[in-house]
Amino acid sequence: MNKKQIMIAVGAVVMIGVGATAYALSGPKLELKTNKVNVEYGTTYTPKLKDIVKDYKDFNKDDLEIINKIPNEKDKTYPAVGKYSITVKYKKKSLKQSVIVKDTKAPEVVLPADIEILQGTDLTTFDFKSLMNISDLSETSIEIDTSKIDMNTAGQYDINVTVKDKYNNESKKTGKVTIVAKPVISNNEEVVHETVKNKDGTTSVKTKVQKKQNSN
């Protein structure tokens, strides 16, 4: 090896040594895999350091710390819709990951396959809502369009149901209503609605005549 080659080799060793020393002194650079994460309302976000720290294996694990103080909504096991943050610390450095909790799911709505209603019933007083199965983590509002029903004529009609939660996620369903002739009943009898299970697993609401509960 000539003099020039020796000097190049020594220089390379020095450079490597200086780089290694600098890395040892400063340590790996703290970076997050992502600075922002979206979380669906109704779930919790409890990541581990290896899930959010970039090049996690390069760190001395004793020098890493995660601070996650996202509170749960009152009387719930998950946080409310809103903006939060998680802090990751490495020695004297710290980074924050933004956590956005959103409600993006539409309400789940199950209607009876058919609802029997007596001819002449005042639909403004009929309790459709109690016959529906509505599921959503947020507050919901219900709109029922009965404009296609002719209460004076027996037959089957469509109703359109719209269920919307407070974050404007919405579900629309079309149900069936059957208008039936009012039966002749005695003074100690009354017409009630009964939910029955159909062979296909759906339910229907039928009218039936029964004795009044307070009759002797």
Side-chain angles (χ1 to χ4, degrees):
M1 182 181 291
N2 59 37
K3 186 176 179 180
K4 183 177 181 181
Q5 290 174 323
I6 292 173
M7 291 181 66
I8 292 173
V10 171
V13 170
V14 171
M15 290 291 292
I16 293 172
V18 170
T21 301
Y23 181 84
L25 291 174
S26 64
K29 183 179 180 182
L30 181 63
E31 289 184 274
L32 302 180
K33 291 182 178 179
T34 178
N35 293 320
K36 183 174 74 173
V37 62
N38 293 321
V39 177
E40 183 63 33
Y41 181 52
T43 61
T44 56
Y45 181 59
T46 54
K48 296 182 179 179
L49 284 163
K50 65 180 181 180
D51 300 322
I52 62 174
V53 174
K54 190 175 181 180
D55 299 324
Y56 169 76
K57 293 181 180 179
D58 294 343
F59 290 83
N60 180 343
K61 309 308 180 287
D62 293 334
D63 293 332
L64 277 172
E65 181 186 4
I66 188 169
I67 302 173
N68 183 354
K69 294 184 178 181
I70 299 177
N72 287 336
E73 190 173 3
K74 185 179 179 181
D75 300 326
K76 303 287 179 62
T77 59
Y78 44 83
V81 171
K83 296 181 179 180
Y84 306 90
S85 66
I86 288 177
T87 301
V88 175
K89 289 187 174 182
Y90 175 65
K91 295 182 178 179
K92 294 182 179 181
K93 301 177 183 178
S94 66
L95 293 176
K96 290 184 181 294
Q97 183 183 68
S98 177
V99 180
I100 313 297
V101 178
K102 296 181 177 181
D103 184 347
T104 65
K105 291 185 177 180
E108 295 182 4
V109 182
V110 179
L111 306 180
D114 183 51
I115 302 173
E116 287 187 356
I117 302 177
L118 295 183
Q119 193 174 3
T121 299
D122 182 358
L123 289 182
T124 62
T125 64
F126 190 83
D127 188 6
F128 284 101
K129 296 179 182 179
S130 66
L131 305 176
M132 302 174 184
N133 187 357
I134 298 171
S135 176
D136 195 89
L137 295 177
S138 301
E139 288 181 31
T140 58
S141 60
I142 305 172
E143 293 183 5
I144 303 171
D145 179 6
T146 60
S147 60
K148 294 182 180 180
I149 300 176
D150 180 358
M151 290 306 302
N152 297 315
T153 305
Q156 191 174 67
Y157 303 89
D158 287 341
I159 58 169
N160 295 311
V161 179
T162 302
V163 181
K164 183 184 295 185
D165 69 20
K166 64 186 293 185
Y167 299 104
N168 290 322
N169 302 303
E170 124 180 332
S171 294
K172 292 186 176 183
K173 296 281 185 177
T174 298
K176 299 292 182 182
V177 168
T178 299
I179 305 303
V180 295
K182 190 172 182 179
V184 177
I185 59 176
S186 60
N187 291 333
N188 66 341
E189 291 179 325
E190 61 183 353
V191 177
V192 297
H193 289 89
E194 179 184 41
T195 300
V196 299
K197 193 169 184 178
N198 302 318
K199 291 182 179 180
D200 61 0
T202 61
T203 61
S204 292
V205 179
K206 301 290 185 180
T207 59
K208 74 171 187 176
V209 177
Q210 69 176 27
K211 288 187 176 181
K212 292 181 179 179
Q213 297 299 317
N214 59 355
S215 61
N216 296 323

